Amino acid sequence: MSGFDFNLFEKQVDELVGLCDRLREENASLRASQEHLVAERAELIEKTELARSRIEAMVLRLKSLEDQL
């Protein structure tokens, strides 16, 4: 063990701890972004369904008017 460099080992451990901290922060940020995007997607799906039902209702009204002529 006489050739073991404790200073180098300590530096490498510090770098590893720093990397773990950065990855933990990045992971939290990505999870927050994912939650936001999932909520936004749900909102867009709801708006799309509302628009679809309104368009279908308009088409039915137009067909009804056409049948009356």
Side-chain angles (χ1 to χ4, degrees):
M1 267 257 187
S2 63
F4 191 79
D5 186 348
F6 282 101
N7 290 331
L8 177 61
F9 180 68
E10 183 179 16
K11 180 182 174 190
Q12 290 173 336
V13 169
D14 288 343
E15 289 175 1
L16 184 58
V17 169
L19 176 61
C20 287
D21 289 342
R22 286 191 302 276
L23 289 174
R24 191 175 292 112
E25 290 171 7
E26 182 181 354
N27 192 27
S29 175
L30 289 170
R31 286 181 188 273
S33 293
Q34 181 183 17
E35 287 179 22
H36 172 74
L37 290 171
V38 166
E40 185 178 357
R41 180 180 182 272
E43 183 180 326
L44 291 171
I45 288 172
E46 185 178 333
K47 286 181 179 181
T48 301
E49 288 302 317
L50 177 61
R52 183 189 325 271
S53 66
R54 292 174 78 182
I55 290 170
E56 287 174 354
M58 282 190 272
V59 168
L60 288 175
R61 277 187 260 144
L62 288 172
K63 284 183 179 180
S64 174
L65 288 173
E66 186 179 71
D67 290 344
Q68 291 176 4
L69 296 176

